[in-house]
Amino acid sequence: MDAIVAGISGMSTAVADFGAAVGAGFVVSAKGGAALIEAIDRIQAQSERAIQTADRLAQEPPLGTTPAARVYKPFLATIASDPDQGFVPALRKFTTDLALLRDQVVQAMDLYRTTDQGAEHGVTDAGGPILSA
């Protein structure tokens, strides 16, 4: 479970770093941004479906009545539902990070368009593009 929580934390850090890069002028082309958005949307949809069915994970599994099963059943249920380190809260944080990342990609695409249009105007204002063989 620690690896999942660490992975989610790493995702949050990566999203924050990407946001900082976009804020500093990092741009994404329309084609590259569209591919990123498509991937983010697919991952987010799958994550949200997993959250919707996660209530099953929070139930005690039918392991039997042995002393070991009685010990493991409540523990296994808390792996999913623990509010601090559980799978469900981690997955919710992951989907929030994905939504933020998607917004940042759109922002980087808009910045690319603005930069590209500004460069086009600069070339035109300077006498048009120079074509050479």
Side-chain angles (χ1 to χ4, degrees):
M1 181 50 70
D2 288 340
I4 291 174
V5 173
I8 299 298
S9 175
M11 177 69 173
S12 295
T13 301
V15 170
D17 290 348
F18 186 79
V22 172
F26 181 78
V27 298
V28 175
S29 70
K31 185 176 180 181
L36 285 171
I37 288 173
E38 181 182 340
I40 291 167
D41 287 347
R42 282 195 339 250
I43 295 168
Q44 193 164 24
Q46 291 172 351
S47 298
E48 289 169 359
R49 277 194 300 274
I51 289 171
Q52 290 172 355
T53 60
D55 60 333
R56 290 180 301 157
L57 297 174
Q59 297 173 2
E60 287 187 1
L63 296 178
T65 58
T66 65
R70 289 182 184 158
V71 170
Y72 283 115
K73 284 193 284 188
F75 171 73
L76 292 174
T78 62
I79 289 174
S81 62
D82 182 85
D84 296 321
Q85 297 181 6
F87 176 71
V88 174
L91 197 54
R92 284 194 177 108
K93 174 68 173 137
F94 181 67
T95 58
T96 300
D97 287 344
L98 285 172
L100 179 58
L101 180 61
R102 188 184 195 289
D103 292 343
Q104 292 170 347
V105 169
V106 170
Q107 184 181 354
M109 290 169 62
D110 290 343
L111 187 56
Y112 178 86
R113 259 189 304 277
T114 302
T115 303
D116 193 41
Q117 288 171 353
E120 179 183 354
H121 290 300
V123 170
T124 303
D125 292 347
I130 299 173
L131 303 175
S132 62

